[in-house]
Amino acid sequence: MFGRRPAGLIDCWQMPGPGPGTFSIVARPLGGRKLERELIALAEQGIEHLVSMQTESEAKAVGLAGQAEGCAVLGMGFERWPITDHGVPSDPAAFHTFTRTLADRVDQG
């Protein structure tokens, strides 16, 4: 069952998988000077790997250009799969492989 709970400064939707892992969807962190605090809150909630669907230009515009570095400092993984607003993945087969890899990680815990 899907559940909603507060995650520090960021709302976090957790969806338990069939294995020991959990998949969560969170709102984008606040950027700029608040980014470090937001990433720490995610790490404290047990988020181990962050995937961003923002384009590089979108991330820069909202002060999130340092997400990858901030995640690395906290021992969190970070990946970006950019999809423009109101868009869809440009390569459905590659996106399927990407999401399958993420699902396998969740299944393995």
Side-chain angles (χ1 to χ4, degrees):
M1 179 65 60
F2 298 127
R4 183 174 185 220
R5 66 177 176 76
L9 302 172
I10 301 173
D11 282 340
C12 180
W13 292 75
Q14 289 192 328
M15 294 153 279
T22 301
F23 179 81
S24 301
I25 297 176
V26 298
R28 75 158 175 85
L30 297 175
R33 294 186 313 208
K34 296 180 181 176
L35 178 58
E36 180 181 3
R37 180 181 65 170
E38 297 270 290
L39 292 176
I40 289 169
L42 289 172
E44 288 174 348
Q45 292 296 326
I47 304 293
E48 297 174 354
H49 196 94
L50 191 61
V51 176
S52 173
M53 301 290 185
Q54 290 181 312
T55 64
E56 286 285 337
S57 61
E58 289 172 329
K60 287 179 185 176
V62 295
L64 296 176
Q67 283 182 106
E69 296 81 6
C71 285
V73 167
L74 296 170
M76 297 168 59
F78 179 83
E79 293 180 70
R80 180 181 310 282
W81 190 281
I83 300 174
T84 58
D85 282 345
H86 309 289
V88 296
S90 58
D91 184 341
F95 188 70
H96 175 79
T97 300
F98 175 70
T99 57
R100 183 71 255 159
T101 300
L102 293 176
D104 289 344
R105 287 185 198 159
V106 171
D107 288 346
Q108 295 169 7

